[in-house]
Amino acid sequence: MTSYDRPTTDAQADHDASAGPPPASPAPGADPAADGRQVTEAALFEAFGGVRGMVETVVPGLLFVTIFTINKDLHVSAIAALAVSLVLGILRLVRRDTVKHAFSGVFGVAFGVVFAMMTGNAKDFYLPGMLYTLGLAFAYILTTLAGVPLIGLILGPVFKENLSWRTRNPGRKKAYAKASWAWGLILLAKCAILFPLYWWADTTQLGWVLIALKIPPFLLAVYLTWVFLAKAPAPIDVFAEMEAKEKAEQEAEERRRGERETLDGAAAGLTPDLTAGSAQAATEPPRGGPRHRR
């Protein structure tokens, strides 16, 4: 645990106060709640990819099930889905955008293609994604039970708070726990629908239901996350704290260096005077002349 994850003690508070002035207060008329909601919206958009990320997630599967519904050709459907995923990833690279969402889709599609080709069953194109969803649902629930909600681990760096919410911001930790429960239960409900279809339905039925369940549960989970975090305390910007601490240490070092230079200069100025005074005292005869014994 870093120093920025520990609860702030009185000594730390005094140190922070001496490091510099507190942040400027909001401008008159500003709505802190509205600002918090905007920051939360921006963070969620960045973390989950926004509209474009959803498109890149849906398009390959939609293309696969559409082609397979028309011609029942596993190879053509799989290659088309993989090709469009690669194109979306390359477009991200060309535009120098964030590629994590596109390439996570590429890897997901690639696993599905390999799995379906190996088994010869078109339904297995969807199986890796379904298993990933099930594993993610359990990850949200188990990490919340362990006191480290997964959604906090995902969004902490985006909000520049890292893990400070664990020990220094209990209200925010509670919001992350609620959001993680929401994600876990929503994903479990999705799996409860898809896995029976995997066994009982044909490939096209499973594919179209999976496409239909791609966006709505995701939007519901994101909306609930936004609701919980918009009402939570503001995140602690540990990056700003580290910068303030480094700046305070720099200023203190500069002050100490200046004091040393001042003392060294004063000592250098006194040394010639002391030397001259000692030499003069040595050459002067004693005052009052020599004393004679009786």
Side-chain angles (χ1 to χ4, degrees):
M1 186 185 296
T2 64
S3 61
Y4 294 102
D5 295 337
R6 301 191 185 96
T8 304
T9 61
D10 294 338
Q12 288 172 327
D14 293 339
H15 174 75
D16 293 341
S18 64
S25 57
D31 185 358
D35 292 342
R37 287 193 294 270
Q38 290 174 359
V39 170
T40 301
E41 289 170 8
L44 291 175
F45 190 91
E46 179 182 345
F48 298 113
V51 175
R52 187 172 181 179
M54 287 188 290
V55 170
E56 291 169 344
T57 302
V58 171
V59 167
L62 179 61
L63 187 62
F64 177 89
V65 70
T66 301
I67 295 176
F68 191 83
T69 300
I70 294 171
N71 61 15
K72 306 297 182 183
D73 191 322
L74 169 61
H75 291 79
V76 173
S77 304
I79 291 171
L82 185 58
V84 75
S85 294
L86 289 171
V87 169
L88 292 172
I90 291 169
L91 286 175
R92 286 267 191 176
L93 286 175
V94 171
R95 294 167 59 91
R96 297 182 179 180
D97 292 337
T98 305
V99 297
K100 61 181 179 180
H101 302 290
F103 278 102
S104 63
V106 171
F107 287 122
V109 172
F111 277 117
V113 168
V114 170
F115 207 69
M117 293 291 189
M118 288 175 59
T119 63
N121 185 354
K123 283 197 291 187
D124 288 339
F125 173 79
Y126 304 111
L127 187 57
M130 292 166 57
L131 292 174
Y132 172 77
T133 301
L134 181 61
L136 192 60
F138 281 115
Y140 277 114
I141 292 172
L142 293 176
T143 54
T144 305
L145 292 174
V148 192
L150 180 58
I151 199 70
L153 300 178
I154 295 171
L155 294 180
V158 178
F159 283 110
K160 300 181 180 179
E161 60 181 336
N162 285 349
L163 297 178
S164 62
W165 49 268
R166 290 191 62 204
T167 53
R168 300 175 58 190
N169 205 338
R172 197 158 183 84
K173 180 180 179 180
K174 186 176 180 181
Y176 281 139
K178 290 180 179 178
S180 290
W181 274 114
W183 278 91
L185 294 176
I186 288 170
L187 293 179
L188 277 181
K190 180 178 176 180
C191 290
I193 296 171
L194 293 178
F195 276 95
L197 289 176
Y198 174 79
W199 296 108
W200 300 330
D202 59 30
T203 302
T204 54
Q205 291 172 333
L206 174 61
W208 287 112
V209 171
L210 194 146
I211 293 299
L213 291 178
K214 201 80 172 181
I215 299 300
F218 173 80
L219 290 179
L220 176 60
V222 170
Y223 172 73
L224 291 175
T225 303
W226 177 80
V227 169
F228 295 139
L229 292 182
K231 296 178 180 179
I236 299 171
D237 191 339
V238 295
F239 295 101
E241 288 185 347
M242 286 188 285
E243 289 174 0
K245 182 179 179 181
E246 290 174 1
K247 184 178 179 182
E249 290 175 351
Q250 237 175 10
E251 291 175 351
E253 180 60 29
E254 289 174 0
R255 284 196 302 270
R256 286 193 294 267
R257 190 182 300 114
E259 290 171 358
R260 283 197 301 268
E261 289 174 355
T262 302
L263 291 174
D264 291 343
L270 288 174
T271 300
D273 295 340
L274 292 173
T275 304
S278 299
Q280 184 179 0
T283 56
E284 286 182 356
R287 293 184 180 179
R291 294 184 178 180
H292 301 282
R293 289 185 183 177
R294 293 195 173 197

